Amino acid sequence: MTSPTWTPDRPWRGIMVATALPLREDLSVDYDAYAEHVRHLIANGCDGVVPNGSLGEYQTLTDDERARVVRTAVEAAGDGARVMPGVSAYGSAESRRWAEQAAEAGCGSVLLLPPNAYRADERAVRAHYTEVAKAWVPVVAYNNPLDTRVDLTPELLTRIHSDGSIVAVKEFSGDVRRAYEIAELAPELDLLIGADDVLLELALAGAVGWIAGYPNAFPATCAELYHAACARDLDTALPLYKSLHPLLRQDSKTEFVQSIKLSMDLVGRVGGPTRPPRAALTGATEAVVRAATEKARAAGHH
């Protein structure tokens, strides 16, 4: 069995937390709080962090903010190999520049969506990954067809991997059947869990990493869940999974950023507000997240 554990030569494996970015009330980035959060995650069993992803609100950051977030994460992690910045952008050249910046900062890998300014065809998708791979830092593909309208199918992933452009895929389609097809077609391509609410299913199917959302609020319990799931220890994993699933499923919903930040605030971490156009949770959704978070805390999750 392939090891689901972080190592310096496979720094995209293990639990890499897609970090929420703490913002002050004036919506400026609280870099000190972010650095402390990175240290907290690693101290509580997570292997590394993924800054500048969707959860990190990268689309709303200035270039200076985005670059500083990466530098902050590298310094706080104490080892750049534990940092996997998101490098997605509308243009392939811009994504390559972000990948080069990540490489210069000492990051161990980068996370890259397919072209998402339009519904790209296979030729454009493969060229996009080929261009960014020229930065000479390992590239993890990110399949999120619900948002990008570009589906990195097992067949397409196999071709991109054969091009030498990617080392792994963050699979967020929600279709757990794909795990087996990817393993058959591209056995050397690492499968990473991309959505919190299919963690157990994909771990059992052979995933070797988790690009995770809810460890932002409950890192130690999520680490225990991940390792138990990968070890096929269902006596430990299944009760934890069932207990946390009301929160884990929020990771696949439209307001996942607000939900995870609210949970962070409720457990004493610093989530803070979100930048527009994202608005604070209200009504039934807020009530669901609050109740699920408090129930998880009462159960001893942390």
Side-chain angles (χ1 to χ4, degrees), residues 219-233:
T221 300
C222 286
E224 181 183 4
L225 168 59
Y226 171 77
H227 290 295
C230 290
R232 274 67 165 176
D233 177 6

Side-chain angles (χ1 to χ4, degrees), residues 19 34-35 38 42 49-51 68-80 82-83:
T19 44
Y34 182 61
V38 171
I42 293 175
V49 294
V50 183
R68 185 173 173 185
V69 165
V70 172
R71 294 195 301 270
T72 301
V74 168
E75 182 177 357
D79 181 355
R82 294 187 180 274
V83 180

Side-chain angles (χ1 to χ4, degrees), residues 200-282:
L200 183 59
E201 292 82 359
L202 288 181
L204 293 175
V208 293
W210 177 21
I211 298 181
Y214 252 94
N216 279 283
F218 294 100
T221 300
C222 286
E224 181 183 4
L225 168 59
Y226 171 77
H227 290 295
C230 290
R232 274 67 165 176
D233 177 6
L234 293 181
D235 289 339
T236 299
L238 192 55
L240 287 175
Y241 193 50
K242 287 181 176 179
S243 179
L244 287 173
H245 211 272
L247 288 173
L248 299 180
R249 71 177 68 115
Q250 302 304 319
D251 180 59
S252 296
K253 296 185 182 297
T254 301
E255 295 171 313
F256 72 105
V257 179
Q258 297 96 314
S259 296
I260 290 173
K261 281 193 160 189
L262 174 58
S263 291
M264 291 170 66
D265 289 333
L266 291 172
V267 301
R269 306 304 302 160
V270 180
T274 53
R275 283 183 175 175
R278 287 189 171 94
L281 294 181
T282 58

Side-chain angles (χ1 to χ4, degrees), residues 47-79:
D47 295 301
V49 294
V50 183
N52 293 339
S54 300
L55 187 49
E57 301 178 70
Y58 80 93
Q59 303 96 331
T60 71
L61 301 180
T62 66
D63 284 357
D64 287 344
E65 287 172 331
R66 191 168 173 176
R68 185 173 173 185
V69 165
V70 172
R71 294 195 301 270
T72 301
V74 168
E75 182 177 357
D79 181 355

